[in-house]
């Protein structure tokens, strides 16, 4: 049967109210890509769950189909979110699909161009906040408490319901849960969702490695970070809304939450791209954590089956690549110049 989106496929596992009216862009069903070369280097059986191949280019679409389907079914006219960018683009797209008004609050100057462009293209009202993501989130929480505007950040429980489906897909694909699941952690909605999904699906449990950027690592430091800073702007978050649940997932799974430097993140981004999978910086954090932990032999991932979740597409943040690269050399439109240039 043709694919009709993840709510349709996994309905029996999702706790959504009866009034839910499905709004879908056929999100989910993303590939689990084997990474044999990288896996050999790291000594494990490695897969990438490439969530950048969702309709708006990130995993947020899984939660957003659920949150917007619920909101529209209950008669909401407007949705709002705070976002480091991907949630904004996703909320805007699903709101557009549902015929709702969407308002997105982003931290001023800190959103990658592909995400901002998406939010605008899908017709959101985009507002820059002179502050951090955390400041923007406080504002949307307050306004949704005082007005009928629907909150579609991952505080919304239906976001978690939708995002559980990636764990289901991984189990369906592999036949059981992997030994390790490595993923970036920002506001901690996704790690919460995966852990809930694996527990519910009863096909085994992975150990969970949650990875934060060193400049935005409240869960590693054990306290909020007032001024988070990282090249991985998607996870530039200092007060994760579901921080407790992230720690619970790491603890219950006998996993851990670690921090990696911006250099390690960018290096992991290159490693993935040079095996054909280009992801945005935050999305490479899972691999960066795996590399860092494998290097010191602490992770016991040797010989194990490991899934690295790559949450967003590289095209979300093209400037991170182009700004660190001198423009390609120009030559005359001339055969000899070309032959000389490439040493042919
Ligand atoms: C590519 O869009 O918070 O730990 O506002 O865009 O569930 O927050 C994005 C987060 C990882 C972290 N990878 O997920 C937002 C936002 C990418 C992301 C995360 C985000 P959570």
């Amino acid at each position: 049967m043709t694919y009709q989106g993840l709510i349709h496929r996994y309905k029996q596992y999702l706790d959504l109210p009866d009034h839910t009216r499905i709004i879908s862009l056929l999100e989910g069903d993303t590939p689990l890509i084997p990474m044999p070369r990288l896996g050999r280097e790291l000594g494990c059986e490695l897969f990438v769950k490439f969530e950048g191949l969702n309709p708006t280019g990130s995993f947020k679409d899984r939660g957003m189909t659920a949150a917007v389907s619920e909101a529209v079914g209950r008669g909401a006219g407007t949705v709002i979110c705070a976002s480091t960018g991907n949630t904004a683009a996703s909320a805007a797209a699903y709101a557009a699909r549902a015929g709702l008004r969407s308002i997105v609050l982003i931290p001023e100057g800190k959103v990658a161009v592909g995400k901002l462009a998406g939010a605008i293209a899908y017709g959101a009202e985009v507002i820059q906040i002179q502050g951090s993501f955390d400041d923007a989130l406080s504002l949307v929480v307050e306004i949704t408490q005082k007005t009928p505007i629907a909150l579609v950040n991952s505080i919304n429980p239906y976001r978690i319901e939708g995002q559980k489906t990636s764990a289901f897909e991984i189990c369906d694909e592999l036949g059981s849960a992997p030994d390790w699941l490595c993923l970036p952690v920002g506001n901690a909605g996704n790690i919460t969702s995966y852990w809930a999904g694996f527990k519910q699906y009863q096909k085994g449990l992975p150990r969970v490695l949650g990875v934060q950027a060193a400049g935005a690592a409240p869960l590693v430091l054990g306290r909020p970070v007032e001024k988070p800073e990282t090249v991985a702007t998607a996870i530039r978050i200092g007060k994760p809304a579901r921080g407790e649940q992230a720690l619970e997932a790491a603890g219950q799974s006998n996993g851990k939450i670690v921090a990696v430097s911006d250099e390690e993140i960018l290096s992991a981004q290159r490693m993935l791209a040079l095996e054909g999978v280009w992801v945005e910086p935050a999305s490479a954090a899972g691999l960066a954590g795996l590399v860092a932990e494998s290097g010191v032999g602490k992770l016991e991932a040797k010989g194990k089956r490991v899934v690295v979740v790559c949450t967003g597409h590289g095209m979300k943040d093209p400037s991170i690549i182009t700004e660190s690269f001198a423009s390609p050399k120009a030559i005359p439109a001339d055969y000899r110049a070309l032959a000389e240039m490439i040493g042919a």
Side-chain angles (χ1 to χ4, degrees):
M1 201 177 53
T2 53
Y3 186 65
Q4 295 179 57
L6 57 80
I7 297 181
H8 187 265
R9 175 173 284 178
Y10 292 112
K11 202 166 193 163
Q12 67 190 110
Y13 298 98
L14 304 183
D15 188 8
L16 299 173
D18 289 341
H19 63 246
T20 300
R21 179 159 80 72
I22 297 180
I23 303 295
S24 175
L25 290 162
L26 308 191
E27 59 295 310
D29 199 23
T30 58
L32 188 66
I33 307 177
M35 305 294 281
R37 221 186 312 150
L38 252 181
R40 247 191 325 275
E41 275 170 38
L42 294 169
C44 60
E45 187 192 3
L46 186 66
F47 297 86
V48 160
K49 180 69 170 162
F50 195 12
E51 289 288 279
L53 293 181
N54 275 294
T56 78
S58 87
F59 73 99
K60 302 288 182 182
D61 296 341
R62 290 183 187 274
M64 207 55 74
T65 182
V68 171
S69 295
E70 187 280 330
V72 76
R74 105 171 102 91
T78 304
V79 299
I80 194 168
C81 66
S83 179
T84 58
N86 279 325
T87 301
S90 186
Y94 283 84
R97 186 84 172 172
L100 303 181
R101 178 181 175 202
S102 64
I103 303 168
V104 305
L105 272 56
I106 58 175
E108 186 177 25
K110 294 291 182 181
V111 168
V113 66
K115 305 175 188 180
L116 180 58
I120 297 167
Y122 296 124
E125 293 162 48
V126 181
I127 302 168
Q128 297 204 80
I129 299 299
Q130 294 163 341
S132 65
F133 166 84
D134 306 287
D135 298 321
L137 186 60
S138 309
L139 286 170
V140 299
V141 166
E142 187 176 351
I143 207 155
T144 52
Q145 281 165 352
K146 294 178 174 167
T147 71
I149 299 174
L151 177 73
V152 294
N153 278 105
S154 60
I155 299 170
N156 178 325
Y158 307 117
R159 282 278 310 275
I160 304 301
E161 290 304 306
Q163 286 173 211
K164 289 191 306 195
T165 57
S166 189
F168 304 161
E169 287 177 15
I170 291 171
C171 291
D172 287 346
E173 188 81 18
L174 296 177
S176 62
D179 298 308
W180 278 94
L181 183 87
C182 311
L183 79 170
V185 176
N187 211 26
N190 211 29
I191 189 171
T192 299
S193 309
Y194 273 98
W195 187 236
F198 283 115
K199 283 196 292 190
Q200 180 182 0
Y201 217 50
Q202 299 190 350
K203 298 266 171 67
L205 295 172
R207 297 173 74 178
V208 178
L209 181 70
V211 187
Q212 301 209 285
L219 300 176
V220 177
L221 298 171
R223 57 175 164 76
V225 173
E226 284 307 322
K227 291 194 165 32
E229 219 32 272
T230 168
V231 68
T233 52
I235 52 174
R236 188 175 167 275
I237 293 173
K239 294 182 204 119
R242 291 185 183 269
E244 287 301 316
Q245 285 162 282
L247 294 169
E248 212 174 276
Q252 287 181 0
S253 76
N254 193 22
K256 53 172 33 176
I257 311 267
V258 299
V260 291
S261 67
D262 282 1
E263 291 69 33
E264 290 174 296
I265 288 173
L266 294 176
S267 159
Q269 184 190 33
R270 274 189 298 275
M271 292 165 86
L272 288 162
L274 295 177
E275 203 163 332
V277 179
W278 180 31
V279 308
E280 66 166 283
S283 303
L287 177 66
L290 176 67
V291 170
E293 292 294 305
S294 303
V296 291
K298 285 185 291 195
L299 196 62
E300 300 157 39
K302 295 275 179 244
K304 302 283 198 234
R305 185 175 259 186
V306 180
V307 171
V308 163
V309 181
C310 289
T311 42
H313 202 287
M315 287 187 275
K316 289 282 191 167
D317 194 355
S319 3
I320 206 76
I321 305 296
T322 52
E323 279 168 11
S324 66
F325 189 80
S327 347
K329 270 218 176 89
I331 58 166
D334 173 280
Y335 179 83
R336 278 178 50 198
L338 172 63
E340 189 176 321
M341 179 81 182
I342 65 173

